C-alpha cells in the first residue's frame, strides 16, 4: 500500500504550528529543487538477482532509483530502521521524503515527526497506516495517503489459502512428508471440507469483499461485520449476511477472518473475553494487523484448544522477535508478512509510489480515495 505524508497546512494546523509551545513548529511548505529521499525496505540478499521484477527489496529500491537520480534527487535505501544509531535515524533530521513498507515498517512516531524538520512526504509501499502516529501527523498538519487497492487481490488470495490450510489440516501432513513419517490418522482426525462451513469476516472493505466473492463457489455460509453494509447487489451475488453485532456473529462462525484496519478502536479488539465468545474449535485467519489481537490471549487459546488453528502473516512488532509467543503456540500456520508483497503487488505499489512522487513534485493532489489524513483530519474509518 503506498502511503504518503505531504505537508499541508490547514487553518487549524497553522494555528497549532505557529505556537511556540508546539513540538511541530516548522515550515510546512515544500520547496522545489533537489530532495533527499530515504527508502526503508527488507533486504533481498541472494534472492534479489533472481527476478528482475523483485522491486520491493532494498536492492530493487522500487525500480525508481534511476528516475529519481536523473532528476537530481538523492535516494538512500536501507533496511536499518531501529534505534538511535540506525541509518534511518541518521537521515531523519534532513530527509524530505520517507518511503517505507508494512512488510518492514519504519515506525513514524511523534518524536520522529518532530525531528524531521524537512519532511514533506511519507510513503508506505503497501496498504496500512498503523506504523504512523496518525494523531501526531494530523496535529502537525500532515497528509497521509495510500495507494488504494495496490495489493488487495494479493491479500484476499492469501486469506483463502490460509483458510484452506487450516480447514484441511494441511501442515501436519506436510511435516510428515518432510520428516519421513506416514500417519494418515494424525491428519484426518481434524481435517474438514470447506463446503457448508460458516465463514465470518470482521471488516468488509476492499479485501473483505474480494474474499467473500472468492468464497462463494465453495458453498459456505458467509457472514460479515462492518460499520457499513456492502452494496445490496454484492450481498445478493455472494449470499453474504450482514451482522451488525460482532459479538453475536462470532459464536456462529467456524472460521473468522480479520479484515479491519488497525485503529484506536480495533487495537486489542480480540482480547481474552472476545476470544471466549467464539465457538470452541474456531479457526482464525488474520492478515490485517497483529495488534488487533491480544498476543498472549491468542497463544493461550491455541494452547487450550479454544482456537483450533490460527494463521496469518501479521505480527506486532515487525519483524517479530524470536521469542514471540505465536512462533511456538500449537496449531498455527504463521508466516512473515508476505501476503501483500507478491511480485505482482510489488509492481503495482512501486508504480503507485512513483505516481505519488510525481504528483508531489508537481504540487498536485492525490486521488481522493487515497487520503488517510488530509489537512489535519483523519479519514472516517480512523476517527
Amino acid at each position: 500500500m503506498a502511503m504518503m505524508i505531504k505537508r499541508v497546512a490547514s487553518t487549524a494546523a497553522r494555528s497549532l504550528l505557529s505556537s511556540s509551545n508546539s513540538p511541530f513548529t516548522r515550515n510546512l511548505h515544500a520547496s522545489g529543487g533537489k530532495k533527499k529521499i530515504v527508502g526503508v525496505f527488507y533486504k533481498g540478499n541472494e534472492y534479489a538477482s533472481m527476478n528482475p521484477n523483485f522491486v520491493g527489496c532494498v536492492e530493487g529500491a522500487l525500480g525508481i532509483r534511476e528516475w529519481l537520480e536523473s532528476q537530481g534527487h538523492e535516494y538512500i535505501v536501507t533496511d536499518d530502521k531501529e534505534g538511535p544509531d540506525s541509518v534511518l535515524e541518521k537521515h531523519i533530521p534532513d530527509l524530505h521524503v520517507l518511503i517505507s513498507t508494512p512488510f518492514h515498517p519504519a515506525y513514524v512516531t511523534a518524536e520522529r515527526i518532530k525531528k524531521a524538520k524537512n519532511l514533506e512526504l511519507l510513503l508506505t509501499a503497501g496498504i496500512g497506516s498503523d506504523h504512523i502516529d496518525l494523531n501526531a501527523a494530523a496535529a502537525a498538519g500532515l497528509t497521509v495517503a495510500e495507494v488504494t487497492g495496490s495489493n488487495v487481490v494479493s491479500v484476499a488470495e492469501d486469506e483463502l489459502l490460509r483458510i484452506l490450510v487450516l480447514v484441511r489440516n494441511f501442515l501436519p501432513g506436510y511435516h510428515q512428508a518432510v520428516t519421513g513419517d506416514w500417519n494418515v490418522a494424525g491428519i484426518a482426525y481434524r481435517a474438514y471440507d470447506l463446503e457448508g462451513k460458516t465463514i465470518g469476516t470482521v471488516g468488509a472493505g476492499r479485501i473483505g469483499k474480494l474474499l467473500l466473492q472468492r468464497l462463494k463457489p465453495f458453498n459456505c455460509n458467509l457472514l460479515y461485520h462492518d460499520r457499513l453494509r456492502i452494496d445490496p447487489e454484492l450481498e445478493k451475488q455472494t449470499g453474504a449476511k450482514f451482522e451488525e453485532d460482532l459479538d453475536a456473529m462470532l459464536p456462529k462462525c467456524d472460521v473468522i477472518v480479520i479484515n479491519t484496519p488497525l485503529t484506536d478502536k480495533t487495537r486489542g479488539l480480540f482480547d481474552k473475553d472476545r476470544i471466549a465468545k467464539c465457538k470452541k474449535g474456531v479457526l482464525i485467519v488474520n492478515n490485517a494487523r497483529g495488534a488487533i489481537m491480544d498476543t498472549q490471549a491468542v497463544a493461550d487459546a491455541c494452547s487450550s484448544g479454544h482456537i483450533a488453528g490460527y494463521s496469518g502473516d501479521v505480527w506486532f512488532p515487525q519483524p517479530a522477535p524470536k521469542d514471540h509467543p505465536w512462533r511456538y503456540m500449537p496449531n498455527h500456520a504463521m508466516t512473515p508478512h508476505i501476503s501483500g508483497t507478491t511480485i505482482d503487488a510489488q509492481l503495482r505499489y512501486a508504480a503507485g509510489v512513483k505516481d505519488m512522487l510525481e504528483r508531489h513534485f508537481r504540487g498536485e493532489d492525490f486521488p481522493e480515495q487515497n487520503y488517510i489524513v488530509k489537512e489535519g483530519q483523519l479519514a472516517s474509518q480512523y476517527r
Side-chain angles (χ1 to χ4, degrees), residues 301-328:
C302 283
S303 296
S304 72
H306 192 84
I307 296 177
Y310 185 92
S311 184
D313 70 336
V314 288
W315 311 64
F316 184 79
Q318 290 187 177
K322 291 185 178 181
D323 62 351
H324 196 291
W326 291 356
R327 292 183 183 271
Y328 308 104

